[in-house]
Amino acid sequence: MRPFQFLMLVVLAVLAQLVRPIDVRAQELSCITVSIIVPTAVGSAGDLVGRAVADAATKLGGPAFRVRNRPRDIARQLIEDAAPNGCTLMLDTQIQVAFEVLGKGTTDWREFKPIALLTRTPMAIVLSAGGPPPAAPKGEEPEPPSLFGIVAGLRDKPESVTFALVDDPLEQLLFLRMEEALGARFRIRSYANGIARYRELVRGPAGVAGFVSLKGAASRIKGEQLNVLAVSGAFEPGMLPGVPTIGSEADGLTFGIDHGLFGPRDMPNDIVKTLAETMRSVMETRGVLADLHNEYGTEAALITGDGFAQYLENLSADWGEMLQRQDNGGRLGQKS
């Protein structure tokens, strides 16, 4: 080989080593804006989590992160059609697993690339008050309803208490998991959406149980419109002092609405890693969830990459086995 040819090969090899990392970085950082598609309305829990995360990610430098609210079917299609370059992502709950387990979705979570589980938001389990409680005998304090008393009554007489349930696969499975852990069986009354259910709990007859946000529970407990029986998180929230966790009656059970970040199915692992590290920095940013925590009890629950995928696999298996154990024929979606 001639010296000139050998020298050219050496130069080309050195250039290749120099160019390759630049190409990878250009692929990872090619976005001027990263769109986070949220398949819920502005002001919803997913929207609030998405905007808090997007603002914090933008402040880290690099691409700007922006939330785009779209109906669920459109959001799913946008992710399926997106280039796997990290520029289009979706923030969603574990409802993707619920769709799969209940057979109610056109796709399951495996059609997307799990990037990072970000947050968990607990819920309040409440009982409608139906107006101010009757006056207690003189010198006595009225005894508020308790989760212990409700569960004890249901164990003696199943379906003696009605639970207001939204027609939503995720809420249905969380409800069944709670019911199983409590060893109790409620009667189900279905509502089209959370607004209709909340109005019924606040204004309707006494004795109807249901899920509401911690913020919604705290705003109505002062007016004696709701009795808060328990919260679904692991800790007593500051805005509901003295309210027990459901785990005290449900063998340590905790649950909530989990929000995680997904990308197109074929997204390369190096981009997943880059985005996961960005989300790690976001979750470590002081105050990023302060408002959500104070109003809704939202906590960071960071699990990235393969760990997030395994979490979803485990959840799918657990819920599938739960449905096999239970006989819920005709209960989900029951009208009354």
Side-chain angles (χ1 to χ4, degrees):
M1 179 180 295
R2 296 177 181 178
F4 177 76
Q5 290 177 321
F6 177 76
L7 181 59
M8 286 299 297
L9 289 175
V10 172
V11 171
L12 289 173
V14 171
L15 287 175
Q17 292 300 313
L18 292 174
V19 170
R20 188 172 179 271
I22 296 172
D23 285 346
V24 172
R25 287 196 297 271
Q27 184 183 21
E28 293 174 349
L29 303 176
S30 63
C31 319
I32 296 174
T33 300
V34 175
S35 293
I36 300 180
I37 311 299
V38 176
T40 53
V42 174
S44 64
D47 176 69
L48 296 175
V49 170
R51 292 181 188 279
V53 168
D55 288 347
T58 299
K59 290 175 182 176
L60 294 175
F65 286 71
R66 296 289 183 264
V67 168
R68 296 166 59 194
N69 302 84
R70 297 291 184 271
R72 178 165 296 281
D73 287 346
I74 294 176
R76 174 179 54 80
Q77 195 64 52
L78 286 171
I79 297 300
E80 289 180 352
D81 294 343
N85 57 3
C87 299
T88 304
L89 310 173
M90 179 172 68
L91 185 91
D92 205 2
T93 69
Q94 66 270 53
I95 196 172
Q96 294 293 339
V97 179
F99 284 143
E100 174 205 352
V101 172
L102 293 175
K104 293 187 175 182
T106 55
T107 60
D108 63 47
W109 67 267
R110 296 175 189 84
E111 296 297 317
F112 312 107
K113 189 79 166 185
I115 297 169
L117 177 66
L118 300 176
T119 64
R120 168 166 288 185
T121 302
M123 297 181 288
I125 297 93
V126 303
L127 193 72
S128 59
K138 190 174 182 179
E140 296 182 15
E141 289 290 331
E143 188 170 337
S146 69
L147 180 63
F148 174 81
I150 297 294
V151 171
L154 286 168
R155 289 170 180 165
D156 290 339
K157 188 178 179 182
E159 301 194 19
S160 56
V161 176
T162 296
F163 200 95
L165 200 62
V166 171
D167 187 15
D168 173 88
L170 174 56
E171 182 167 303
Q172 290 171 353
L173 287 174
L174 293 177
F175 164 76
L176 292 178
R177 179 70 185 92
M178 178 190 74
E179 209 181 43
E180 183 178 63
L182 289 171
R185 187 179 175 101
F186 291 86
R187 185 170 184 267
I188 296 172
R189 181 180 298 167
S190 292
Y191 292 84
N193 54 60
I195 294 175
R197 187 258 307 278
Y198 187 66
R199 287 173 178 166
E200 177 77 1
L201 290 171
V202 170
R203 303 174 185 173
V208 178
F211 294 133
V212 301
S213 70
L214 269 59
K215 181 179 181 180
S219 69
R220 297 295 181 171
I221 195 172
K222 296 176 182 177
E224 299 181 318
Q225 293 172 298
L226 292 175
N227 297 296
V228 186
L229 303 176
V231 293
S232 70
F235 306 103
E236 175 188 309
M239 74 282 281
L240 293 170
V243 174
T245 63
I246 195 171
S248 61
E249 293 294 327
D251 197 26
L253 174 71
T254 64
F255 62 92
I257 306 299
D258 298 342
H259 283 95
L261 205 61
F262 299 83
R265 181 175 56 181
D266 297 328
M267 180 179 288
N269 289 333
D270 58 340
I271 296 181
V272 173
K273 183 177 179 180
T274 296
L275 289 167
E277 288 305 314
T278 298
M279 292 303 115
R280 184 178 300 279
S281 297
V282 165
M283 290 296 107
E284 292 174 352
T285 301
R286 180 184 294 273
V288 67
L289 296 178
D291 291 342
L292 285 168
H293 176 74
N294 292 336
E295 294 192 19
Y296 297 96
T298 301
E299 301 281 359
L302 185 68
I303 306 176
T304 60
D306 291 341
F308 184 24
Q310 189 60 56
Y311 159 84
L312 296 170
E313 286 282 10
N314 293 343
L315 193 61
S316 176
D318 290 346
W319 282 351
E321 292 172 3
M322 177 187 70
L323 290 179
Q324 290 179 357
R325 287 192 300 269
Q326 296 191 26
D327 176 17
N328 286 289
R331 296 186 72 221
L332 296 179
Q334 172 185 336
K335 306 292 183 181
S336 63

